[in-house]
Amino acid sequence: MRITMASAQQKETALKNGDSIGQALGAKVLRQDYPVEVQAVPISVPIEHGKASNNTKVIQEMVEGTRRLIPNFTVTRIAWIHGEESVKPKKGETRAPRHASLLVHVPTAELQKKAVQHGIIIEGVIYPTRLYDNALQRTRCFRCNRWGHTQASCHANETCGHCAGQHGTRECPQKDNPSVVRCCNCGKGGHRVWQTSKCPDYKRRLAQLEERRRTMEGISLSWRAERDYQVPLHSHKAPSAMPSSTNEVISGRKRERPRQPEASEDGSRRQGLGRPPKVTPPDPRQPSLESYTRRAAESQCTDVALATQWSQEQHMETEPTQDPSLEW
């Protein structure tokens, strides 16, 4: 039975008292989790999988560290994004990956937004976080061979992955007969249900998932922009909630390009100072630098004297003679 509350506050109150409500009704109250994807987490973080997994220690350390950024931060469960396949070597490779995405589930939508805005601290490092939806996983049911759910939650009839018949895939009597091969998702022959490169239905679903992923990435960016708008970018004081011993994982920045010379009024570019001119040292076989400077100064003085004499002669030739009768 699904119950809809009148407000978010009533919903939070009911979830906090879910155990007592379930005992009174003789039922189990299911809590909705809000997942976020923590990117590039080292696989050395000890995370267990399976029904008997116990990640209480890792969750407790994560909560204690992240509460320095988000005071009321709480985690319900964690898991690698692709389960145990996230820590195994990929197809065609022999070395296991060093990092993988970690799914962290929080109890409320408010904590989900704050986790995307501020990040999550794991082993003293702040990791970037983005919004996630369980529908983004390309899961296929091994019972009905349909996409979008698992065998544990399937209520449909069994469908064969070889011939699309109403029987189990392992019990198919014609699994070795290529003429009866048919996909139960697209209804076309020539490929089995797991041969996704030949299935048009899988390509259509993959395009829908990529569009949904881009939409959720846009929501994450808008949430981070909202955080940057609330906190001044040029603040000289660091936030008091930021631990001094925490290292933040940040993306690389491009180096600034050198400034180009400004254009002058005629359209040509102004040249900068550039390198200093190359000075040729004096030849040691020649006279000393002092004698060379003295000779240059003497020759310059001679030229100035000749120019002065020539100027006086020109002035005397052009000056008009005065009439003695005009003298007063």
Side-chain angles (χ1 to χ4, degrees):
M1 182 171 57
R2 184 183 183 94
I3 302 176
T4 303
M5 299 296 179
S7 63
Q9 185 177 3
Q10 293 182 4
K11 176 183 176 181
E12 296 297 331
T13 305
L15 291 177
K16 291 180 181 180
N17 301 324
D19 296 336
S20 58
I21 295 176
Q23 293 177 0
L25 297 177
K28 182 179 180 180
V29 178
L30 299 178
R31 295 175 174 84
Q32 180 183 0
D33 292 336
Y34 298 86
V36 293
E37 179 184 353
V38 186
Q39 300 172 314
V41 178
I43 62 173
S44 59
V45 178
I47 297 177
E48 301 179 3
H49 294 274
K51 296 182 179 180
S53 61
N54 185 10
N55 297 313
T56 305
K57 184 177 179 180
V58 180
I59 292 176
Q60 184 177 1
E61 294 178 356
M62 184 187 306
V63 170
E64 292 177 356
T66 310
R67 280 184 177 177
R68 302 175 184 178
L69 299 175
I70 308 172
N72 57 343
F73 185 72
T74 307
V75 176
T76 56
R77 59 190 177 96
I78 58 176
W80 294 115
I81 188 170
H82 298 303
E84 295 181 349
E85 298 297 328
S86 299
V87 298
K88 293 181 179 180
K90 296 182 180 181
K91 186 177 181 181
E93 299 181 0
T94 57
R95 187 177 62 179
R98 297 181 180 179
H99 302 83
S101 293
L102 181 66
L103 295 182
V104 178
H105 298 260
V106 295
T108 62
E110 181 183 0
L111 290 178
Q112 183 187 40
K113 182 177 181 179
K114 290 183 178 180
V116 173
Q117 290 178 334
H118 302 282
I120 292 179
I121 299 178
I122 303 176
E123 295 183 348
V125 180
I126 302 178
Y127 289 92
T129 307
R130 62 182 179 182
L131 188 62
Y132 188 79
D133 189 358
N134 293 325
L136 295 176
Q137 293 191 2
R138 292 170 287 180
T139 55
R140 180 172 58 87
C141 177
F142 293 150
R143 177 181 175 85
C144 67
N145 284 294
R146 303 291 181 181
W147 297 99
H149 65 278
T150 59
Q151 184 177 357
S153 59
C154 181
H155 302 283
N157 297 327
E158 284 189 327
T159 305
C160 179
H162 293 282
C163 63
Q166 298 299 319
H167 54 266
T169 303
R170 296 182 178 181
E171 292 79 18
C172 182
Q174 298 181 348
K175 60 182 178 180
D176 296 330
N177 186 2
S179 60
V180 297
V181 171
R182 182 176 297 277
C183 176
C184 62
N185 290 321
C186 65
K188 297 183 179 181
H191 66 277
R192 296 173 172 85
V193 69
W194 53 81
Q195 295 175 333
T196 56
S197 60
K198 302 179 181 179
C199 182
D201 182 76
Y202 176 80
K203 296 179 180 179
R204 177 187 59 81
R205 178 176 176 80
L206 188 61
Q208 293 177 353
L209 293 180
E210 292 297 329
E211 181 65 24
R212 184 174 181 83
R213 183 177 286 107
R214 287 192 295 267
T215 302
M216 301 187 71
E217 184 67 21
I219 297 175
S220 301
L221 293 176
S222 64
W223 285 355
R224 297 192 191 102
E226 181 180 349
R227 176 206 62 184
D228 296 337
Y229 179 78
Q230 295 175 356
V231 180
L233 295 178
H234 302 285
S235 178
H236 298 284
K237 296 182 180 180
S240 58
M242 178 67 69
S244 59
S245 61
T246 302
N247 300 323
E248 182 176 1
V249 178
I250 58 176
S251 59
R253 297 180 179 178
K254 295 183 179 180
R255 294 185 299 175
E256 295 183 358
R257 300 182 60 183
R259 297 181 60 184
Q260 298 293 338
E262 299 178 357
S264 59
E265 297 180 356
D266 55 355
S268 61
R269 292 186 177 273
R270 298 178 181 176
Q271 298 295 334
L273 296 178
R275 296 183 178 180
K278 186 177 180 181
V279 179
T280 305
D283 192 351
R285 295 174 295 179
Q286 299 292 334
S288 62
L289 181 61
E290 183 179 358
S291 61
Y292 174 80
T293 307
R294 186 184 302 110
R295 289 199 306 270
E298 291 175 357
S299 62
Q300 184 177 6
C301 293
T302 305
D303 295 341
V304 173
L306 293 176
T308 305
Q309 183 180 1
W310 178 84
S311 177
Q312 293 177 356
E313 293 176 356
Q314 291 293 112
H315 180 72
M316 292 175 63
E317 292 178 359
T318 58
E319 186 178 0
T321 58
Q322 296 183 0
D323 189 358
S325 61
L326 298 178
E327 296 180 359
W328 180 72

